Amino acid sequence: MNKYQVFATLEAPDAFTLLDMAAADFFREKQTLLAQGLEVMGEPILAPDARTAAKTYQDYLINPSLPYGGPAAHGTFIYLLLHAPRIFGKGKPRRR
C-alpha cells in the first residue's frame, strides 16, 4: 500500500493534487504546493495506486460518511495474502 497526501483549496476541494508520500521529492513538491496556496486535505490515503487514491478522495467528497484514508476491502485482502505467513505463524515458536 502506498500513502498519498491530497492537496486542494477550501474554495475548490474537487480540484486536487495527489502526492505519493514515498517519493524522493515529496517534501520539495509539498512545499511548492503549499506556496501556491493549496492546503493539505485530510489524512493520508492508503491505496495501491494513485487512481484508487483519487477515487477514494472523490467518493469522500460526494459522501463524507464514507471511511477516509484507510485501505479499501480489496487492499486489506491483498495485504493479508502478502503477509499471511508472518501473521499466521511462520517463524513463530510453537505452543506447547
Side-chain angles (χ1 to χ4, degrees):
M1 287 289 174
N2 298 324
K3 275 179 143 178
Y4 295 93
Q5 185 69 65
V6 179
F7 295 86
T9 62
L10 293 177
E11 295 80 30
D14 54 336
F16 61 92
T17 299
L18 286 174
L19 288 183
D20 185 350
M21 295 179 75
D25 57 349
F26 170 75
F27 289 107
R28 189 182 77 241
E29 289 184 16
K30 178 180 178 179
Q31 292 305 320
T32 302
L33 292 173
L34 293 174
Q36 293 174 0
L38 297 174
E39 298 178 28
V40 173
M41 302 301 278
E43 297 295 318
I45 298 173
L46 296 174
D49 55 38
R51 178 174 282 174
T52 305
K55 180 161 177 23
T56 299
Y57 179 70
Q58 289 170 334
D59 290 346
Y60 175 75
L61 287 176
I62 294 168
N63 185 1
S65 66
L66 292 173
Y68 178 79
H74 70 279
T76 303
F77 179 70
I78 292 168
Y79 179 86
L80 182 64
L81 287 177
L82 290 173
H83 296 283
R86 184 177 54 83
I87 293 171
F88 294 112
K90 184 177 180 181
K92 289 185 179 177
R94 298 180 114 183
R95 290 186 180 182
R96 295 179 191 238

